[in-house]
Amino acid sequence: MLDLKPSSILVFVFVALLLKTIVNAIGKAKIESYVWNLYINVASKSEFVELKQKREQLIEINKQRKSISAQDEYAKWTKLNRQFDKVNSEVAALTEAVSSEKLKLTKAIGVAISLCTAAPIWFSRVWYRKAILFYFPQGVLPHYLEWVLALPFITTGGVGLTIWMMAVNWVLGGIAQIVSFYLSPSVPKPVAQPESNAARQKKE
């Protein structure tokens, strides 16, 4: 099962490095945030629904409490104040429960990202370190260059996983920078500031 052909190793490593590059470009924190927001919208857990309702209730009670005078309507203000404290404590407890749920999900996402990116790469480096992926035609490259490309585990004239990974990382890194450049917000063209009177007098 693990005895892959050189062409399959090339594709397998390329896909793993591509996935790693995409994750690094997006950012692990953003991925965790996207998954958490999706989880909240998809998972119909009572804690999420109740927390949203309690927060809305808390805002409404606070508005009512601020709309009346504590001196003129003391009894009503006191009742609202007790309700606010009670709902606020419920919100705090629910927030703690949701935070614990988020922490568990974040850890699971981190493990999943590592299994999909780092694990295949490190496995390939160990298992296929001596695999010759392809050969250069004899005489195409100088002997010293063939020797360098064969480092560190294979015979001269072939290309192994280490060099292939370096080449793929270099290409994917360049593509990621280009894409990031075009997707980033444009910077306004600098405008020359008018010279002050003091600067003009100094030139004269």
Side-chain angles (χ1 to χ4, degrees):
M1 180 180 177
L2 299 178
D3 188 17
L4 299 178
K5 295 180 180 179
S7 58
S8 300
I9 298 174
L10 288 172
V11 174
F12 174 73
V13 173
F14 177 82
V15 172
L17 292 175
L18 176 61
L19 186 60
K20 181 183 177 183
T21 303
I22 293 173
V23 170
N24 291 338
I26 297 174
K28 186 178 177 182
K30 285 186 178 180
I31 294 175
E32 291 172 351
S33 178
Y34 292 151
V35 175
W36 172 247
N37 292 331
L38 180 64
Y39 179 69
I40 291 177
N41 294 326
V42 173
S44 301
K45 287 206 167 186
S46 58
E47 293 89 347
F48 302 152
V49 178
E50 188 176 359
L51 179 59
K52 184 179 179 182
Q53 293 174 348
K54 291 294 181 181
R55 282 175 174 171
E56 292 174 352
Q57 185 181 353
L58 193 67
I59 294 172
E60 184 61 30
I61 294 172
N62 195 38
K63 284 182 180 179
Q64 293 179 19
R65 191 177 60 169
K66 289 182 177 180
S67 65
I68 63 175
S69 173
Q71 295 178 348
D72 299 337
E73 301 179 75
Y74 180 75
K76 185 177 180 181
W77 184 88
T78 303
K79 182 180 179 182
L80 288 171
N81 201 43
R82 286 198 299 267
Q83 288 180 358
F84 182 87
D85 292 340
K86 179 184 177 182
V87 175
N88 192 37
S89 62
E90 292 173 350
V91 167
L94 287 169
T95 301
E96 186 177 353
V98 171
S99 298
S100 177
E101 184 80 11
K102 185 177 181 180
L103 182 60
K104 292 178 182 178
L105 183 64
T106 301
K107 288 182 178 179
I109 295 169
V111 172
I113 291 175
S114 297
L115 290 175
C116 293
T117 56
I121 293 172
W122 282 107
F123 167 78
S124 300
R125 284 176 175 171
V126 174
W127 193 263
Y128 301 115
R129 66 186 184 279
K130 295 182 179 180
I132 301 175
L133 303 181
F134 56 87
Y135 291 95
F136 283 105
Q138 191 172 3
V140 171
L141 298 174
H143 180 73
Y144 70 89
L145 190 55
E146 290 183 350
W147 179 82
V148 171
L149 293 176
L151 292 175
F153 299 112
I154 64 174
T155 57
T156 302
V159 174
L161 196 62
T162 301
I163 298 299
W164 172 249
M165 282 186 171
M166 289 175 58
V168 172
N169 273 324
W170 184 79
V171 173
L172 292 178
I175 294 174
Q177 286 185 350
I178 294 172
V179 173
S180 176
F181 173 77
Y182 280 103
L183 293 180
S184 60
S186 59
V187 179
K189 184 179 179 180
V191 179
Q193 298 293 330
E195 291 183 343
S196 62
N197 293 330
R200 291 175 183 174
Q201 291 176 0
K202 187 176 181 181
K203 285 183 178 181
E204 294 175 354

